[in-house]
């Protein structure tokens, strides 16, 4: 059982399975549902680190994992941000920019992979993901806990996520502009 739970593809599939649970919880926003959604999102986000670690450490890199890992990441973050925008807890224009960049860079990464180039995430892309996760968790919590305003904290990180989202997207397109000419 332990080996199944630590297999990279299982962790990736868990991230995908978490998406509808988070969405359903956010359809009924209250303190308990939002906190549960934030916990599930957090656990799912942590699996992104571990699936890559296990894949490299134990030689379990697979084509399924290479394709599904970034898809799972995009599904998790995009669905959380869409629900946050639907509730009015995140500006829709920011969510559109973040998701638009994700789709554009995914398309570019497909072109890069077709040309046989390295499609590994850049450091800017990793910062972008970190800020997106750091924004989503408190925004999902939304309701004040222990005198803290998670919405203000999440909004702060959302601005950082927006900056790194745009910066890393521009960086990808500038870095691989020669592949777009053909």
């Amino acid at each position: 059982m332990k080996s199944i739970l630590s297999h990279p593809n299982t962790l990736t599939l868990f991230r995908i399975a978490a998406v509808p649970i988070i969405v359903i919880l956010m359809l009924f926003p209250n303190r308990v549902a939002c906190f549960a959604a934030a916990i599930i999102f957090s656990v799912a986000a942590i699996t992104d680190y571990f699936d890559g670690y296990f894949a490299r450490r134990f030689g379990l890199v697979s084509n399924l994992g290479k394709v599904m890992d970034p898809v799972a990441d995009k599904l998790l973050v995009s669905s959380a941000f869409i629900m946050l925008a639907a509730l009015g807890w995140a500006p829709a224009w920011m969510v559109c920019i973040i998701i638009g960049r994700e789709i554009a860079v995914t398309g570019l990464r497909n072109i890069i992979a077709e040309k046989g180039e390295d499609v590994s995430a850049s450091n800017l892309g990793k910062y972008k993901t970190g800020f997106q996760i750091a924004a989503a968790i408190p925004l999902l919590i939304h309701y004040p806990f222990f005198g803290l305003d998670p919405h203000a904290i999440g909004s702060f990180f959302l601005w950082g996520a927006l900056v790194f989202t745009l910066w890393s997207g521009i960086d990808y397109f500038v870095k691989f502009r020669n592949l777009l000419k053909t």
Side-chain angles (χ1 to χ4, degrees):
M1 183 70 168
K2 183 180 177 186
S3 65
I4 290 172
L5 293 177
S6 63
H7 193 281
N9 292 340
T10 302
L11 296 174
T12 299
L13 294 174
F14 166 75
R15 217 160 42 256
I16 293 169
V19 169
I21 297 167
I22 293 166
V23 169
I24 290 167
L25 286 167
M26 295 308 292
L27 287 174
F28 307 99
N30 61 59
R31 283 181 171 275
V32 174
C34 290
F35 190 76
I39 294 295
I40 293 167
F41 180 91
S42 299
V43 171
I46 290 167
T47 66
D48 184 31
Y49 168 78
F50 285 108
D51 66 6
Y53 172 79
F54 289 136
R56 288 183 297 277
R57 174 86 163 92
F58 300 111
L60 297 171
V61 175
S62 68
N63 287 333
L64 175 68
K66 287 179 186 177
V67 171
M68 292 309 295
D69 179 63
V71 170
D73 298 343
K74 311 278 184 269
L75 283 172
L76 180 67
V77 171
S78 296
S79 63
F81 281 143
I82 288 168
M83 292 307 295
L84 290 165
L87 291 167
W89 296 353
W93 68 269
M94 285 180 146
V95 171
C96 288
I97 290 171
I98 289 168
I99 293 172
R101 178 266 186 215
E102 298 299 338
I103 293 168
V105 169
T106 298
L108 177 61
R109 289 178 75 165
N110 288 337
I111 293 168
I112 295 167
E114 278 181 11
K115 305 283 184 170
E117 300 280 333
D118 179 26
V119 294
S120 301
S122 68
N123 284 337
L124 284 174
K126 291 177 183 181
Y127 295 142
K128 177 253 333 163
T129 300
F131 270 89
Q132 287 178 352
I133 291 167
I137 294 168
L139 287 172
L140 287 168
I141 293 172
H142 182 69
Y143 297 97
F145 278 93
F146 308 114
L148 294 174
D149 181 5
H151 188 81
I153 296 166
S155 295
F156 171 80
F157 282 106
L158 186 58
W159 279 101
L162 182 66
V163 167
F164 279 108
T165 295
L166 290 170
W167 188 4
S168 64
I170 291 166
D171 182 62
Y172 261 111
F173 279 90
V174 168
K175 183 176 178 181
F176 294 102
R177 67 187 174 274
N178 60 328
L179 298 179
L180 300 174
K181 294 177 184 174
T182 58

